[in-house]
Amino acid sequence: MTAPRALCRLDEIADGGAVGLCPDARGRATVVAVRRGEVVHAWRNLCPHQDRVRLGWRRDAFMNGEGTHLMCAAHGALFRPEDGICTSGPCIGDALNRVHVTVENGVVLGQPEDLPAEAVA
Amino acid sequence: MRIIGPDEMVFGVDTLEDSKAFLRDYGLEDDGTGRFLALDGTAVTVRAKDDPDLPPPLPTNNNLRQTIWGVEDQATLDEIEAELSKDRTVNKAADGTLTCQDDAGFEIAFRITRRTELNLPPERINSPGAAPGRAANEIGADEDAPARPRTLSHIVYFVPDWEVMAKFYIERLKFVITDKFTNTGPFLRPQANDDHHVLFMIQTPPYMQGIEHLAFHMKGPTELMLAGSRMVKMGYQSFWGPGRHKFGSNWFWYFSSPMGVNIEYDADMDKHDGDWTEREAPMSPENSQMFLFENVEKWAPGGPPKGKA
């Protein structure tokens, strides 16, 4: 296994919030990371409803208004941050693809081989 | 039946401040009451989803609450009231607005249109062999030009039974089919509008019912590109485009919005009259667009290789 790569600092994600990570060549986030206390769940930034569609509506704006779910703003699909399952919307029952991350010493780490191929950073 | 097109779309959201910021950044004018206006007065209205003044929500998670259709005159309103009262309750507000549900279960309303007639210049281009579109010394590329949506162009619904829905708008409200995607739904225009479509529908499972996108007409392709580029620069999420559709010929650029619906800029849509014969094609990427681009960061080639004078 290759050495883990630092993706961001834990304190760069507001508790309960989400940020986009691992930009592609055009600066678009390929991974979305949600923080719940000291735990971070990370997901491929692609909606299971339609290929090519990214979650959110603006840079680092991924959560619904109540802050309970990740949202695909194209058609309003909501995803549980913990398991990535779509609980309402077009792809109900489908799940986001997990990107395995760990938090060590306040840094969010991912395995390079597990990160999207199109990510350049 | 002199229906013109959608006058106002009403949403109930849990992302109120983000939605307002989006609509302002998209180029609509905030009138301070939750209503965001195009240049002609057509609008999108957003309210908190628990606002008691909102029409009831759909049984799905879609945030659309009401589609308000604009008509030419009182005679048309009377005609609609008489027609729809045959088989449903049609409520009439103090200002004469009619409200009811369509056959797909969407909340709809009809009122004498609030849109004002626009008298604005088109996008002007110079084309060899044709008279110049712009006078000598008149510049075409103005990065600081305003790019404001002119008028609410069209709406697209996700609907569980497109045939039931299309029948309602065609038979009861006298919409006309311009083109159709096989087994998906038709492109429709009402009697008092010659745009290729103001209404389109896509068949989906019932749990998806709602609005898929809405679109505003821009001045032309250049203004559409300018407005969309500004949205990208502000960090907004492009959903599809820019490109040019086949049916309708309109240029398009769609953005995801905090209302959970795509919002499109469109420009240069075809016009039709009664002499038109509808076309039909399967819905596919090939048939959905003539070409598709994606925005990239600005770049320019230089002369010598990097590091050489």
Side-chain angles (χ1 to χ4, degrees):
Chain A
M1 204 152 85
T2 51
R5 182 192 294 173
L7 305 182
C8 70
R9 293 198 318 271
L10 181 65
D11 64 12
E12 289 176 285
I13 317 175
D15 195 2
V19 298
L21 299 173
C22 305
D24 67 11
R26 295 185 194 168
R28 300 175 298 195
T30 64
V31 172
V32 182
V34 202
R35 178 177 171 188
R36 286 283 187 268
E38 301 306 301
V39 178
V40 171
H41 300 279
W43 305 100
R44 291 290 300 268
N45 186 14
L46 285 174
C47 180
H49 174 207
Q50 290 166 335
D51 65 317
R52 291 200 199 183
V53 176
R54 295 170 192 83
L55 308 183
W57 65 89
R58 196 172 189 175
R59 195 171 297 125
D60 296 333
F62 293 106
M63 304 301 287
N64 65 335
E66 288 155 7
T68 56
H69 289 74
L70 288 160
M71 178 162 107
C72 179
H75 301 118
L78 297 176
F79 302 88
R80 281 197 303 247
E82 296 77 13
D83 58 12
I85 304 274
C86 176
T87 56
S88 77
C91 40
I92 189 164
D94 293 341
L96 300 172
N97 286 314
R98 187 182 285 278
V99 176
H100 295 280
V101 296
T102 54
V103 181
E104 284 176 35
N105 301 321
V107 176
V108 181
L109 302 170
Q111 283 304 128
E113 60 273 18
D114 190 40
L115 301 176
E118 63 273 24
V120 295
Chain B
M1 208 174 263
R2 303 296 292 171
I3 299 171
I4 301 171
D7 241 30
E8 184 174 340
M9 304 301 292
V10 182
F11 291 85
V13 301
D14 72 350
T15 52
L16 188 60
E17 292 311 313
D18 287 323
S19 296
K20 287 179 173 179
F22 176 94
L23 293 167
R24 275 191 295 268
D25 290 340
Y26 175 83
L28 300 173
E29 185 193 341
D30 182 356
D31 81 349
T33 71
R35 186 177 284 123
F36 291 78
L37 303 159
L39 291 177
D40 75 341
T42 51
V44 172
T45 291
V46 283
R47 302 194 187 288
K49 67 178 188 180
D50 55 0
D51 188 319
D53 292 337
L54 282 172
L58 287 159
T60 64
N61 82 334
N62 195 266
N63 290 324
L64 177 67
R65 292 299 181 91
Q66 191 175 50
T67 301
I68 304 175
W69 294 95
V71 310
E72 274 187 358
D73 50 25
Q74 186 58 45
T76 303
L77 279 186
D78 294 343
E79 207 180 341
I80 292 168
E81 185 179 15
E83 173 60 32
L84 297 185
S85 294
K86 288 176 187 166
D87 61 353
R88 74 202 65 210
T89 303
V90 177
N91 296 303
K92 192 189 260 186
D95 69 355
T97 299
L98 306 174
T99 56
C100 63
Q101 281 195 352
D102 71 9
D103 282 355
F106 285 104
E107 294 286 336
I108 53 173
F110 301 89
R111 71 180 181 211
I112 295 175
T113 186
R114 289 189 188 163
R115 71 190 71 197
T116 53
E117 200 168 320
L118 297 176
N119 182 13
L120 298 168
E123 179 168 333
R124 293 202 167 98
I125 65 164
N126 295 325
S127 182
R134 294 191 306 278
N137 307 319
E138 196 183 334
I139 302 303
D142 176 5
E143 197 163 33
D144 299 321
R148 302 255 340 261
R150 292 190 167 189
T151 183
L152 186 49
S153 159
H154 63 269
I155 55 177
V156 174
Y157 293 123
F158 280 149
V159 62
D161 189 335
W162 71 265
E163 285 177 291
V164 165
M165 188 173 202
K167 196 168 175 225
F168 174 81
Y169 286 90
I170 294 165
E171 292 184 2
R172 308 296 296 279
L173 298 173
K174 309 301 176 195
F175 282 46
V176 180
I177 298 179
T178 46
D179 290 315
K180 64 167 88 150
F181 280 136
T182 309
N183 297 326
T184 297
F187 292 87
L188 296 169
R189 65 177 182 86
Q191 297 278 327
N193 196 325
D194 57 4
D195 275 357
H196 177 270
H197 59 282
V198 306
L199 174 62
F200 177 60
M201 57 205 73
I202 300 170
Q203 179 143 331
T204 64
Y207 60 81
M208 284 174 67
Q209 182 169 350
I211 186 166
E212 196 278 332
H213 79 263
L214 61 90
F216 284 85
H217 284 314
M218 304 301 285
K219 178 184 185 180
T222 302
E223 192 180 67
L224 176 148
M225 300 286 183
L226 186 59
S229 303
R230 287 176 180 164
M231 290 294 278
V232 171
K233 264 186 213 155
M234 285 185 276
Y236 286 107
Q237 180 67 61
S238 169
F239 171 76
W240 185 20
R244 191 167 199 182
H245 284 310
K246 286 185 178 172
F247 285 170
S249 299
N250 48 304
W251 293 78
F252 63 84
W253 199 343
Y254 299 72
F255 287 85
S256 302
S257 83
M259 287 113 78
V261 58
N262 290 309
I263 304 211
E264 178 192 359
Y265 293 112
D266 90 26
D268 193 15
M269 182 182 273
D270 292 330
K271 301 279 195 185
H272 292 285
D273 64 16
D275 292 338
W276 176 248
T277 305
E278 72 190 58
R279 300 168 293 180
E280 181 168 344
M283 189 156 131
S284 67
E286 183 50 41
N287 291 330
S288 292
Q289 57 225 308
M290 191 153 68
F291 37 70
L292 174 64
F293 302 104
E294 278 197 348
N295 182 80
V296 297
E297 241 181 285
K298 283 187 181 179
W299 175 88
K306 208 172 181 178
K308 309 226 168 153

